[in-house]
Amino acid sequence: MAKPTSSTPPEPPQWANRFLEWYCAEDLLDEIQGDLLEIYQHRAKDKGVSNANILFIKEVLLFFRPSSFKKKNPFENLPIMLSLFQSYFKTAARNIWKTKFFSSLNLIGLTIGFTSFLLIALYIQYELSYDRYHEKSDRIYRVAQVQKGNVFRGSDRFALAPSALGPAMEANFPEVEATTTLRVNEFLFTKDQETFYAEGLFCDDALFDVFSFEMIEGNGPAAIADPNSIILTQSFAKKHFGDSDPIGATLVMETDKSVVVKGILEDPPKNSHFLFDYITSFKNLSYYEPNEWDSNNYYAYAALKEGQSSEEFAAKLIQLDRQYLPKRDGKPVSESKFFLQDLEDIHLYSQINFEMAANGDIRYLYFFGAIGLIILLIAAINYLNFATADSERRAVEVGMRKALGARRRQLVQQFLGESILLSFISFIFAILLVSVLLPLLNNYLGQQISFSPGSDPKIFFGLLSLALLIGGFSGLYPAFFIARVAPVKALKGQIIGIYQKSNWLRNTLVTGQFVAAIALAIGSIVIFQQLKYVQNKRLGYNEDQVVYIPYFNSEVYKKSGLIREQLLENAQIEEVAISQYVPLNMYSSHAVNDWEGREEKERISIYASPIDYNYLDVYGMELAQGRNFSPEFPADSTDRYILNETAVQALGWEDPIGKQFNGGEVIGVVKDFHFQPFQLAIEPLYFILGTAWHFSRRGNFSIKIKDSQDLQATLSYIQTSVSDILPGFPLEFQFMDESLKQLYRSEHRLSRIFGIFTLLALLISALGLLGLVSYNVVRRTKEISIRKILGASAMGIVNLLSKDFLRLMSIALIVATPIAYLMAQKWLESFAYRITLSWESFMLVAVIAIVLTILMVGLQSLRAALTNPVDQLRN
Amino acid sequence: MLPNLGLLEERVLLLVMILEDAYGVSIAEAYEAQIGKSISVPAVHTVLKRLEKKGMIESHMGPATPERGGRRKRLFDATNYGYRVIADIRDQRLKLWSMIPKLNRYG
């Protein structure tokens, strides 16, 4: 029987075959399925297809046993994966080492970026953490007040409260859990033979009910209830008592009041809006009166009960005067409206009058945060650019690997590994750098920022993941281009097409970097100029060669005549004056409603400064009209005034001499001088002759020193004179010009920090540019060589290459300048006295940028231009 | 003291030694041809695995053919140890069989 031979071989039942393929382990499929298929063919030939089919099915079923199954063991691949990672790691490390130059540029840039970002993040975190130390910090509020119509230094809000406020709140509002009233004051202390000034907290009994200060020894509440006790902070105790136990020791305050140390307090953390060295009862302040509404000398804090809404309570608080304040002559005893300030917000958001210490500003935080992000962004963009350029350079290598059978996944993993490894190394370096720089930063800022992976896991792991993310992304992004590399084309060198888009993107990114860096540079210059202006602006008085000595003790005033005489004995000392304030910071102003030519209901807010006969001399203040106070005119010491020019203007007078003012007469007009920070315009001010009433409690000696070489000798003369007359009086000179610098310390710091970060941004961008230029040159090596051969000069080549980059730089300049201009303008507006933005600074930056570009391109391309073209073309 | 082998194991081992290309299919087909009984491929595989585990045979992967759908085959060879075992079995048999008086009559 001749069976027609089928053209195609018979096939076993597919369902059985597929079933086999499903359950059978990969490595067994060869022998099992192979054998079954082969014997199927034989059987089909010998005994027929149906026989073969049956047997096939039978044997597939028979093979269905555990030994054939796919192993589900996940760990069976682990040893392989491990050695694979090892190989990737080695390859990555080797590659990084091979391209040392570019890798280190990359590394530096990224490390700088991470470090800056980390430092800024830590700083911001620290600033945000002010006053959180206290257990009830989220429901503690400072009670401040608004005095409508009384604008002082640009604000009608005052951080102060009268001593009666706390008790009134506790009595009338059930929402209030506790209140405490306090004040920070500087007092003279004597311990055994030592005398020193120290600043401390004076408070009522309830301090510990509101704040969570920790006592190390002794009973806190008891110690403050007893006016004969004092609590010292740990470091203060250490400083003055060493290692011996201060409990029970006696200190003398202000030469007449003895207090016994009854407790030691744990140091309050530096991130608090007020700091102090000791705590004692209010009763130790001679002017303290409980339950008084008239003088706003204190700071009141209230802790609300849990769950109370501060908004609702605040609304009630405003009504305080109407319902609860005692009345005097039918009107409430205080015209202020009281409002609440969140404890946690005081440091950053409160800029009202009479803060206990200079607060920070939330705007600075936003600002620095933005800078940190910008720098990080610049660094990350750099990294990305490098990675892309790198993969382009290695297109040939990639093509070869592909030709040799590398799977796309492997290639991607390889590049990814390198990218992440480098990023991780940057991260490690950044952490090390931060731990070195942080103590320096703390010193500079006077703060206490700490950092360790254990204590700040959020930031640590946040940055780590950021590093890995940047590394990962920079590794993956070029992978798109790797994928499209056609091996044959790449080996021939025809890779241009794929990388067109990447080129465009890269150029845009670099331009973006420069926009940011240029804007920062311009900003930096503007800040610097403004600061210089402020510092050098003629203040209207002579601030160098003036030394002033503040005092807080009536003993000093009693001997003031003697002191002055003694000091004037020294030929180097020109003049000595006593006054209540120095022209640095006057804050006593009040309303005057009595002057010649006043309209109905007019009031003027004017600063008052009690001085003596010599004050104007010491400070070199010039009189525009009239005369100084003089002993020849006895009326001078009772009701004569010298006004400043602004006051005269405000009063609308043409001819002020002899006019009636505030119950007295004007005898002179002094030329305007700055007695407040430059943010504020000069306000009206008057001088009067001060008396014992003004000067006895506190005041200042102002000493004018001849411009001489031997300042030290003069100072020690002053020192010995004073200590002869007043033994035990701790002398603290202040130099007028130094103190002024202190005043602008925060602006100064801002300028410095801003400058540093600008330099960093510029550095990173410059690194980016350098890298880009280098790559560009390397890529066009052949082109350059050919041009050389065809007769191009070195200069011509440099020109050619610079053109592109100059174009990018110009675009960056054009974009950056208006942005920088607007932002600088905005910042300057916050100063009453400011510079005008000059085109010179912008020009300066532009010129520097262009010169920098040309230099970089020039250097790199010059190198290429000078090499022997033959060598280049050989490859 | 060399181990004992089951009958199937012995026969498969012998076939591995006899065949030049010993693998699942060839052994199954030779078994059927020589002994007259059919044997399934899985059974052969099982025995082969056992023998390999006992160290009497070793295997390597051979070429693929289209007949096998492109699958390779696993080829088996006897090890020296395997030969010793088989030789020992033969000797044992011969020894006992030669002691049967009546067997000589059947040739």
Side-chain angles (χ1 to χ4, degrees), chain A residues 285-536:
Chain A
L285 275 181
S286 61
Y287 53 85
Y288 174 69
E289 275 174 70
N291 270 311
E292 205 211 298
W293 286 103
D294 274 339
S295 58
N296 293 312
N297 278 330
Y298 317 100
Y299 298 90
Y301 294 86
L304 292 187
K305 295 207 176 102
E306 282 198 56
Q308 289 298 331
S309 149
S310 65
E311 285 92 13
E312 286 172 21
F313 181 63
K316 273 198 193 173
L317 192 60
I318 294 189
Q319 306 294 319
L320 183 70
D321 62 334
R322 225 156 288 175
Q323 290 174 287
Y324 302 110
L325 286 186
K327 306 273 191 288
R328 202 170 43 206
D329 306 331
K331 287 202 311 180
V333 81
S334 166
E335 284 180 3
S336 314
K337 296 255 184 275
F338 297 100
F339 65 95
L340 298 174
Q341 295 180 298
D342 278 39
L343 179 69
E344 291 171 352
D345 290 344
I346 291 179
H347 176 72
L348 292 174
Y349 294 94
S350 179
Q351 305 284 348
I352 61 183
N353 290 311
F354 298 109
E355 301 282 355
M356 278 202 261
N359 281 340
D361 196 338
I362 187 78
R363 288 175 302 172
Y364 284 164
L365 289 193
Y366 284 139
F367 191 58
F368 283 126
I371 293 185
L373 281 176
I374 289 179
I375 290 188
L376 190 67
L377 201 66
I378 292 180
I381 290 178
N382 240 7
Y383 199 68
L384 190 65
N385 273 348
F386 271 120
T388 318
D390 205 35
S391 73
E392 183 180 321
R393 180 182 63 89
R394 291 157 70 176
V396 174
E397 175 193 335
V398 169
M400 182 138 70
R401 283 181 188 259
K402 274 198 175 183
L404 287 176
R407 300 230 195 106
R408 182 166 86 173
R409 198 152 150 242
Q410 285 174 300
L411 287 168
V412 169
Q413 276 175 333
Q414 182 198 344
F415 279 99
L416 199 62
E418 282 175 44
S419 178
I420 291 187
L421 181 64
L422 202 61
S423 180
F424 185 69
I425 294 178
S426 296
F427 172 72
I428 300 287
F429 277 164
I431 300 279
L432 291 176
L433 209 57
V434 164
S435 53
V436 164
L437 291 177
L438 202 57
L440 297 175
L441 187 69
N442 275 337
N443 253 343
Y444 183 60
L445 293 176
Q447 283 170 340
Q448 207 185 22
I449 312 179
S450 69
F451 176 65
S452 78
S455 67
D456 286 284
K458 258 194 305 188
I459 289 191
F460 184 76
F461 286 109
L463 192 65
L464 179 61
S465 24
L466 207 64
L468 294 177
L469 203 75
I470 291 179
F473 189 68
S474 304
L476 283 179
Y477 178 72
F480 287 131
F481 303 102
I482 293 176
R484 299 211 211 114
V485 168
V488 179
K489 277 204 185 145
L491 285 169
K492 279 204 216 161
Q494 294 169 6
I495 46 164
I496 314 296
I498 322 160
Y499 287 93
Q500 291 290 15
K501 237 206 236 162
S502 95
N503 246 350
W504 178 85
L505 187 66
R506 218 177 325 142
N507 285 340
T508 316
L509 290 177
V510 167
T511 313
Q513 273 182 330
F514 275 106
V515 167
I518 291 173
L520 283 180
I522 294 180
S524 207
I525 294 183
V526 168
I527 292 183
F528 179 72
Q529 281 181 332
Q530 169 68 6
L531 223 66
K532 204 106 187 288
Y533 170 76
V534 156
Q535 282 175 354
N536 291 336

Side-chain angles (χ1 to χ4, degrees), chain A residues 67 190 224 282 354 438 450 462 541 573 737 815 837 845:
Chain A
S67 56
T190 315
I224 49 179
F282 249 148
F354 298 109
L438 202 57
S450 69
Y541 62 90
I573 295 181
D737 43 14
V815 172
L837 289 174
V845 174

Side-chain angles (χ1 to χ4, degrees), chain B residues 35-76:
Chain B
I35 299 177
K37 291 243 269 284
S38 67
I39 183 172
S40 73
V41 172
V44 174
H45 276 223
T46 310
V47 176
L48 287 171
K49 218 178 296 206
R50 262 214 305 270
L51 286 174
E52 187 169 20
K53 195 150 171 231
K54 290 185 185 175
M56 297 177 198
I57 58 179
E58 58 191 7
S59 67
H60 63 277
M61 294 309 282
T65 72
E67 198 184 22
R68 293 167 64 86
R71 295 285 179 198
R72 298 186 294 169
K73 55 179 83 163
R74 188 178 281 275
L75 297 164
F76 294 87

